[in-house]
Amino acid sequence: MNSVYRARRRRNWIAMSLSLVATLFGLGWLVLILAVLLWEGVGGLSLQVFTEMTPPPGSAGGLLNPIAGSLVLTVVAVAIGTPLGILAGTYMAEYGRYEKVTMVVRFINDILLSAPSIVVGLFVYEVMVVPMGHFSGWAGAVALALIVLPVVVRTTEDMLNLVPNPLREAAVALGMPRAYVIRHVCYRAARAGMLTGVLLAVARVSGETAPLLFTALNNQFWGANLNAPMPSLPVVIFQFALSPYEDWQKLAWTGALIITVTVLALTVVARFLAASRKEQ
Amino acid sequence: MVDTALISSELSAAATARAAVLRRLRGSDAVFRIITRMSVYCVLLILGGVIVSLVSGALPAMRTFGFAFLTTEVWNPVTDKFGALAPIYGTLVTSAIAMLIAVPVGLMIAIFLTEICPPWLRRPIGIAIELLAGVPSIIYGIWGLFVFAPFLQRTLQPFLIDVFGPIPVLSSVFAGPPYGIGVLTAGLILAVMVLPFVTSISRDVFDAVPPVLKEAAYGVGCTTWEVVRFIVLPYTRVGVIGGVMLGLGRALGETMAVTFVIGNAHRISASVLAPGTTISASIANEFTEAVGDLYTSALITLGLILFVITFIVLAIARYLLMRIERRIG
């Protein structure tokens, strides 16, 4: 072997080892984060967490009200964001696929998809909290809905674009009007993909903190009243983790574990749905 | 005779019924079309609303401080003097640190996944890396504050101070006591958060390289690294830059993780070990406590600046990715 060849081989070997190291590095972070979460969070996990209110510092308690608050906020946010997103995605894929509006909205939607969520919080603060005069669960839900929206628009459009055209043509040839074709043929063909989109949106929303800080705010008590400030799991974690009280920090870890497990489970389920669709 | 009359009247009745059904269907078709079109405009309206509301919220501060807002470091709620230089500086520096680490590492992972990973491992590893993106940012925050920052305080930071202490310029970059929290810690955590975005987009564009190109290169005797370096990377350059910009957009706007570990100090110091602040961390920390219209307005102006910066970065990212999609598609 001549020296040039050896040098090339060596460089290749170094680069490939580095790529392996980088992968292990990336995976290492995931393992490390999950391990610490389990280590710190499992100890505090008990039935009490799900049945009792957040405690004042120094006494025992649970996370019932923030968990309930998070559920309500997420459900309302999805109920607002999903229909709007599906309808908009439908227009972009079915009626106006090549229109200028669609191009513009696609571009803007992609930007909203990765826009900083704290800016969404500021926006909702300006348009809802200021006019209403107080923080409220509604404002929090709308802020989250604005994060759900672009995810759903994007997946709906993508999935409808994947529906083969002969399917539409066959349905139209039977004399179905356009709206009927969309609702009964296209939606049915794209259902799994659209559901994936909604699940991913729920996963994203359930860990969101920044937009809730100054919309839903927080609350130490039980409250299903969307007109009042509302507790949510991420915001309570934020508050408790930064507090000097040890019981609060412990509860924060437990809450963090609950959120992470939920979000990762949703993400994995969504991925499997998407994968099983691809195999069909 | 009677029979034919009956049949024809039945036929005409059926025809009118048919016409009614068709009319109804056409009507519902039009309604559905209009509703979906409205929803599209709604999305447009929201972005417009975001910009308008941020600008109107920012007006008082912009009128008071003018252009100097961007170049002043002072941030004093007591005397109502505000300047955005420190948060802007912090945002840029933390993002720069994050990209400095995430881009090479993310690219290397993408290379591993597309070139040398055994096929059965590709999906699991790919999903695991993407789960890193799924972990909520508040988890990174709490983890960074309680685990990562103390770890850095004991290990990396004293090491950096010792090593770079005697070197003239670098000694001020790595100066000061090891607090644990600070600009460097925030940048490192951001790097981990941005990593999956860089990886997954690079992997997707690497996968889109026509196999013929790679096979031809292998055919003339290139090593795997040479194929990556001289065939794959040049071919996918635009897409990779798009992915990097997308990650940068994320890093610039990331809030919770940074808020936990940056220390929230409104000052600019040369050392990356010192506490600082970013735009999003300032807003998250101070907004609910902000009393006085000018204070609130100054924070909203920060939000507007952040939005404009990320909008530009993301727009460039999307433009580049659209270009490569068109070429591949």
Side-chain angles (χ1 to χ4, degrees), chain B residues 195 287 327:
Chain B
L195 188 63
F287 198 80
R327 195 168 74 190

Side-chain angles (χ1 to χ4, degrees), chain B residues 290-304:
Chain B
V291 280
D293 290 341
L294 201 58
Y295 195 0
T296 312
S297 173
L299 285 168
I300 293 177
T301 313
L302 279 185
L304 181 65

Side-chain angles (χ1 to χ4, degrees), chain B residues 144-227:
Chain B
L145 179 66
F146 289 114
V147 182
F148 195 50
F151 172 77
L152 286 182
Q153 189 175 20
R154 282 196 310 273
T155 55
L156 182 67
Q157 296 190 344
F159 172 78
L160 288 175
I161 294 169
D162 285 348
V163 168
F164 293 108
I167 306 170
V169 180
L170 289 175
S171 70
S172 57
V173 174
F174 297 102
Y179 289 109
I181 56 173
V183 174
L184 180 68
T185 315
L188 291 177
I189 289 196
L190 279 180
V192 180
M193 300 182 72
V194 167
L195 188 63
F197 292 96
V198 178
T199 300
S200 69
I201 290 190
S202 319
R203 185 196 53 194
D204 291 348
V205 292
F206 285 177
D207 271 337
V209 176
V212 181
L213 282 183
K214 291 205 286 194
E215 282 156 14
Y218 280 120
V220 296
C222 286
T223 61
T224 311
W225 169 244
E226 283 162 353
V227 171

Side-chain angles (χ1 to χ4, degrees), chain A residues 8 12 15 19-20 23 29-30 36 87 91 95 105 108 110 118 123 126 149 178-179 234 241 260 263 271, chain B residues 29 33 36-37 39-40 44 46 49 53 108 112 116 128 130 134 138-139 143 146-147 221 225-226 255 300 318:
Chain A
R8 286 175 54 208
N12 184 50
S19 78
L20 179 65
T23 309
W29 282 101
L30 184 68
V36 170
L87 288 173
Y91 185 85
Y95 288 115
V105 171
I108 281 172
D110 278 349
I118 193 148
F123 166 61
E126 282 282 301
L149 181 67
R178 198 66 190 273
T260 312
V263 170
R271 295 242 170 260
Chain B
D29 201 18
R33 192 193 161 98
T36 52
R37 206 183 163 104
S39 316
V40 171
L44 268 182
I46 288 169
S53 75
M108 283 319 244
F112 176 82
I116 53 178
E130 275 164 35
I138 184 143
I139 308 299
W143 187 84
F146 289 114
V147 182
W225 169 244
E226 283 162 353
T255 310
I300 293 177
R318 287 300 167 190

Side-chain angles (χ1 to χ4, degrees), chain B residues 1-302:
Chain B
M1 273 299 131
V2 179
D3 280 347
T4 42
L6 199 68
I7 288 168
S8 75
S9 81
E10 257 173 26
L11 274 179
S12 72
T16 32
R18 234 176 103 82
V21 169
L22 275 179
R23 215 168 23 242
R24 211 182 58 228
L25 285 177
R26 210 171 300 138
S28 83
D29 201 18
V31 169
F32 192 65
R33 192 193 161 98
I34 290 169
I35 292 177
T36 52
R37 206 183 163 104
M38 286 304 187
S39 316
V40 171
Y41 288 130
C42 238
V43 177
L44 268 182
L45 209 73
I46 288 169
L47 186 86
V50 170
I51 295 171
V52 169
S53 75
L54 286 182
V55 169
S56 82
L59 268 183
M62 290 203 287
R63 228 177 262 137
T64 314
F65 303 112
F67 199 69
F69 187 74
L70 292 175
T71 53
T72 327
E73 194 191 329
V74 190
W75 186 269
N76 193 337
V78 181
T79 57
D80 259 355
K81 290 267 179 295
F82 300 102
L85 196 58
I88 292 176
Y89 172 83
T91 305
L92 296 181
V93 170
T94 49
S95 300
I97 295 174
M99 299 320 285
L100 219 57
I101 297 166
V103 171
V105 176
L107 281 178
M108 283 319 244
I109 297 179
I111 292 170
F112 176 82
L113 285 174
T114 50
E115 301 299 329
I116 53 178
C117 181
W120 58 274
L121 258 178
R122 249 173 231 181
R123 250 179 76 79
I125 294 183
I127 289 182
I129 297 289
E130 275 164 35
L131 282 186
L132 268 182
V135 173
S137 70
I138 184 143
I139 308 299
Y140 282 100
I142 184 173
W143 187 84
L145 179 66
F146 289 114
V147 182
F148 195 50
F151 172 77
L152 286 182
Q153 189 175 20
R154 282 196 310 273
T155 55
L156 182 67
Q157 296 190 344
F159 172 78
L160 288 175
I161 294 169
D162 285 348
V163 168
F164 293 108
I167 306 170
V169 180
L170 289 175
S171 70
S172 57
V173 174
F174 297 102
Y179 289 109
I181 56 173
V183 174
L184 180 68
T185 315
L188 291 177
I189 289 196
L190 279 180
V192 180
M193 300 182 72
V194 167
L195 188 63
F197 292 96
V198 178
T199 300
S200 69
I201 290 190
S202 319
R203 185 196 53 194
D204 291 348
V205 292
F206 285 177
D207 271 337
V209 176
V212 181
L213 282 183
K214 291 205 286 194
E215 282 156 14
Y218 280 120
V220 296
C222 286
T223 61
T224 311
W225 169 244
E226 283 162 353
V227 171
V228 171
R229 172 73 188 72
F230 298 108
I231 308 295
V232 175
L233 281 179
Y235 188 85
T236 56
R237 194 176 46 215
V238 175
V240 168
I241 296 172
V244 168
M245 296 295 260
L246 205 62
L248 179 61
R250 286 277 167 168
L252 289 168
E254 181 45 53
T255 310
M256 298 320 292
V258 174
T259 307
F260 270 95
V261 296
I262 197 154
N264 202 36
H266 275 276
R267 60 164 183 268
I268 298 173
S269 49
S271 169
V272 292
L273 301 183
T277 191
T278 68
I279 294 177
S280 48
S282 304
I283 302 172
N285 259 321
E286 298 172 36
F287 198 80
T288 41
E289 290 155 17
V291 280
D293 290 341
L294 201 58
Y295 195 0
T296 312
S297 173
L299 285 168
I300 293 177
T301 313
L302 279 185

